[in-house]
Amino acid sequence: MNGLSLEGIIHAFGEQPVIAGMSLDVARGELACLLGPSGCGKTTLLRLAAGLEHLQRGRIMIDGEVVANAADGHHVPPERRRVGLMFQDYALFPHLTLAENVRFGLKGASFRGFRVEEALARVGLAPFARAYPHTLSGGQQQRAALLRVLAPGPRVLLLDEPFSDLDVNRRIQVREATLDLLKEAGAATLMVTHDSEEAMFMADRILVMNAGRMVQSGSPFDIYFHPADAFVAELFGPVNRLPGLVRDRVVDTPIGRFDAPGLTDASRVEILIRLEGLAVMADDGTDNRPSFPARVASSRLLGRSSHLSLRISDGNAGYIALQCRAPGVLLPNPGDVVQICVDRSQVFVFPA
Ligand code: ATP
């Protein structure tokens, strides 16, 4: 296969297992994001792919060539793998200008007609070719660092949280520019992030990791709408959780009946509902979707959306607390009763 393949990787630091058996492929031209919480082993996997760590178990191939094999100790050093590596601190040389930094990557590498000035101009950095990194913004440094990594024409690109040093607004612009450059470069790209929205924006495929294992691999759409378990569902923010019991492949709750495919009768389940999966209906009678009354406990404006704490009857004397995220300004008074409806695409039923 052209691109990067990791097969059966197991890795530990001393007694601490960090990668517990992972295999993955990233095709040439594809951008895959490793998404997972802090400490789950993402950077370790990237360092193994780069050759910065020696393999303990498994095999790594680039464009069909074995670059590391734990079975026979084969280990191609990082500088001979034609792998581009970029970490979150960019690591530009402070004593070199931007143009010199970008040119640096070309020494001894297979030079493919890369024109530094032209490349700098394409990402809006031409006026800064002779500037030193400390005089530039984070976004400008990020683009220069990316150019330096791309200049030698790597077969594989490994990016570790490449936007984490940028403020929120700058990050959105830089992501877009980065994506264009990466697509044009056509390498197999493996990017690490713990930001689910960043993974959704950047990735052709998201590889979700938890505790050294791959939990799910799929398109951004699949990962969001068909999470494999509660862990994946919660990567996109907090959820409401309701307990339930399966009867005839469905589960009844105070806010409706949901399918429980593949779950055995009488088994206990947990129903997860994203906060944005509950909507408060207009009270002008124009909306005839099935709805349920809920009493408002509190409402807060968050800016682009409003957060509501609601209470619905549990069918007995008690209540169930639900959280709802409504777009725009929606601030009913505590004690008001509103009608809520459920977006079923945001509801997931998992074994308890
Ligand atoms: P983050 O998002 O915080 O960077 P991560 O998912 O990239 O986390 P890793 O950096 O791969 O996680 O670390 C995984 C685990 O391995 C952590 O518990 C970390 O402390 C440990 N670890 C990483 N490198 C070493 C090392 N060189 N020696 C000992 N332990 C290490």
Side-chain angles (χ1 to χ4, degrees), residues 13 16 18 36-45 53 161 192 194:
F13 290 111
Q16 185 198 359
V18 173
S38 187
C40 73
K42 305 180 298 293
T43 299
T44 302
L45 207 63
E53 296 281 346
E161 307 260 6
V192 158
H194 60 259

